[in-house]
Amino acid sequence: MEIRVGQVVVHYVEYGTGRPVLVLHGAGVDHREAEACFELAFDGVAGLRRIYPDLPGMGRTVAPGTLRSADDVLDTLLDFADEVTGGSAHLLVGHSAGAYYAQAMAARRPAQVAGLALVCPLLSELRDVPEHRVVAGSGEIGDDVFRSYFVIQTPEMLERYERYVAPAAALVDHAALERIGERWTLTPDHAPAYAGPTVVVAGRLDSTVGYAAATDLVDHYPHASLAVADDAGHALPHEQPELLRALLTDWLARVERSS
């Protein structure tokens, strides 16, 4: 499916009916990774319309030259959310860079966000990022990207990588991401912290964004649950699917209680 927002035609897929859930993937991939991980987490949950867009410059969403900063991408995502939800209250889920944008979207439009889930969130200030360490497998299968992304390097994880992650690499517009990346820090809007039900999930072995900065978010968001998963890296949604499902199930229950 496609929808035009401003000068950007956003490609997305969706499943189910009910309350919209906007799920944002990370950098260098497309909707297929988020879809593969979060559809497992939401399996069997009724009343959710799960929406997975390709972010600009990735997948089948072209990033025109007018997109020159993270602020431009944020504006596109806010407009996309308005279009696909009709302005109704929706849930926001983000992994990595997707979580970076999800935080800003919740801050800008808190009345329209019923709940916020941040998984391995990219933050403007990171600290104490650990070195990459393999905890399962020989460390000798897959390509360099797989070996630097996953800390659980089993044939099962390699199959997921080759099916849901690697194919997106060929679709990435590297020039566009480099252009946007030159101004990747979002302009602070000094809005109050998002006060809705929030969950923050981090991997103790995440060598991309770490987990230390993510723990600070529990003090930033007044209604946040925090989990730091052992034996999980930046690919936590692949490596710890049952834990992610349990955490999101608890989050959804809190959303319902607050509605």
Side-chain angles (χ1 to χ4, degrees):
M1 304 173 72
E2 293 183 342
I3 190 169
R4 176 177 289 276
V5 290
Q7 296 185 358
V8 182
V9 177
V10 179
H11 172 79
Y12 67 101
V13 299
E14 65 173 68
Y15 304 94
T17 59
R19 181 183 296 226
V21 184
L22 184 60
V23 186
L24 306 179
H25 64 77
V29 292
D30 61 22
H31 76 274
R32 285 172 289 182
E33 180 175 29
E35 175 189 354
C37 295
F38 290 97
E39 280 299 287
L40 281 176
F42 292 132
D43 182 43
V45 181
L48 295 180
R49 176 186 168 215
R50 291 95 59 201
I51 303 166
Y52 300 90
D54 287 340
L55 273 61
M58 291 168 274
R60 292 168 57 187
T61 299
V62 175
T66 51
L67 264 62
R68 307 195 64 82
S69 68
D71 286 325
D72 293 337
V73 174
L74 175 60
D75 289 341
T76 297
L77 293 174
L78 287 168
D79 290 345
F80 172 77
D82 287 343
E83 288 291 335
V84 296
T85 68
S88 63
H90 55 277
L91 304 176
L92 265 179
V93 180
H95 175 231
S96 189
Y100 182 61
Y101 287 115
Q103 291 177 80
M105 294 171 73
R108 297 281 181 90
R109 308 269 181 84
Q112 293 174 237
V113 177
L116 178 66
L118 308 172
V119 182
C120 303
L122 172 65
L123 301 166
S124 57
E125 295 184 8
L126 302 176
R127 61 182 175 87
D128 303 327
V129 178
E131 293 185 3
H132 187 66
R133 179 165 63 89
V134 178
V135 297
S138 66
E140 297 177 354
I141 62 174
D143 60 18
D144 289 343
V145 176
F146 169 76
R147 290 192 294 269
S148 65
Y149 184 26
F150 284 72
V151 301
I152 297 179
Q153 297 184 7
T154 60
E156 178 190 5
M157 291 299 107
L158 178 59
E159 192 277 333
R160 290 186 65 81
Y161 167 77
E162 291 178 337
R163 183 173 179 181
Y164 301 118
V165 181
L171 301 180
V172 171
D173 183 342
H174 294 284
L177 295 194
E178 183 177 351
R179 181 180 70 240
I180 294 167
E182 291 176 355
R183 300 174 182 84
W184 80 272
T185 302
L186 290 166
T187 302
D189 63 0
H190 305 293
Y194 172 71
T198 303
V199 62
V200 181
V201 187
R204 181 175 287 275
L205 301 179
D206 189 331
S207 60
T208 300
V209 300
Y211 73 90
T215 65
D216 298 337
L217 296 177
V218 76
D219 294 322
H220 177 72
Y221 293 109
H223 294 286
S225 294
L226 169 70
V228 178
D230 197 16
D231 288 354
H234 202 56
L236 181 151
H238 296 282
E239 295 169 334
Q240 299 290 348
E242 293 303 323
L243 175 61
L244 182 62
R245 178 182 172 86
L247 293 168
L248 291 179
T249 297
D250 172 76
W251 170 65
L252 289 171
R254 290 193 290 124
V255 170
E256 286 304 310
R257 289 195 297 269
S258 67
S259 299

